[in-house]
Amino acid sequence: MNQIEIIKNLPYTNPFLFVDELTEISENGVTGNYTFNESAFFYEGHFKGNPITPGVILTETMAQIGVVCLGIYLLKDEILSTKKKTQIALTSSQVDFYLPVLPNEKVTVISEKEYFRFNKLKCKVKMMNAKNELVCRGTISGMIIAK
């Protein structure tokens, strides 16, 4: 399954799709990126006159690229052979934030699989900005099911 097929199988659409491209993917991890468009709905009120990407959106971006895309890749045989749709449930996240992300900024998410058992995927994730500075990092896990 290639990156376009993985993104096509994501259970999200605009304005809540935070994956532009996947640059690397394997059984052990994934790397991908997203550029936050200045017209995104959340910038209007966060914060007045000083728009900054909310931490919950950064966490969601890391979850979509780092956990869901990887989960789809790991379940690719089941998804492709049965045409099943992917269902996701975030089970836990712990993220530390270091730098803000501004409108029109491109970020890269790097995820490393810790384990995938009984459809539960746990990954170490980090987000880097275009200057290769650490924006945030943590651990995110979720249940990935093809139904």
Side-chain angles (χ1 to χ4, degrees):
M1 183 179 280
N2 66 34
Q3 67 137 329
I4 293 167
E5 293 170 314
I6 292 168
I7 294 170
K8 190 184 220 181
N9 277 283
L10 287 169
Y12 314 103
T13 61
N14 286 323
F16 212 74
L17 175 63
F18 301 114
V19 182
D20 286 336
E21 115 184 283
L22 303 176
T23 56
E24 293 180 39
I25 193 154
S26 73
E27 297 286 323
N28 297 311
V30 62
T31 301
N33 58 60
Y34 183 73
T35 301
F36 290 96
N37 190 302
E38 68 185 345
S39 65
F41 68 94
F42 44 82
Y43 288 129
E44 190 174 322
H46 193 267
F47 296 98
K48 288 186 202 175
N50 185 28
I52 295 173
T53 310
V56 68
I57 299 294
L58 299 178
T59 302
E60 179 66 25
T61 303
M62 289 194 302
Q64 286 186 20
I65 294 172
V67 178
V68 181
C69 287
L70 182 57
I72 290 169
Y73 179 79
L74 294 172
L75 291 171
K76 65 184 178 280
D77 293 338
E78 188 175 344
I79 292 168
L80 291 173
S81 67
T82 62
K83 304 280 190 222
K84 292 181 177 180
K85 293 288 181 191
T86 310
Q87 293 184 340
I88 290 94
L90 185 65
T91 58
S92 65
S93 68
Q94 181 279 313
V95 178
D96 295 316
F97 300 92
Y98 303 102
L99 293 172
V101 174
L102 303 175
N104 295 322
E105 204 168 339
K106 180 178 181 177
V107 296
T108 299
V109 174
I110 302 160
S111 173
E112 179 184 326
K113 179 181 75 176
E114 287 194 341
Y115 68 80
F116 183 54
R117 289 189 293 268
F118 306 111
N119 287 13
K120 184 172 183 176
L121 177 59
K122 182 177 181 182
C123 297
K124 288 185 203 174
V125 292
K126 66 181 177 180
M127 180 181 286
M128 310 298 286
N129 64 18
K131 296 176 186 173
N132 205 32
E133 299 169 318
L134 181 63
V135 171
C136 52
R137 71 173 165 215
T139 304
I140 301 177
S141 48
M143 298 296 293
I144 314 288
I145 300 168
K147 272 190 153 189

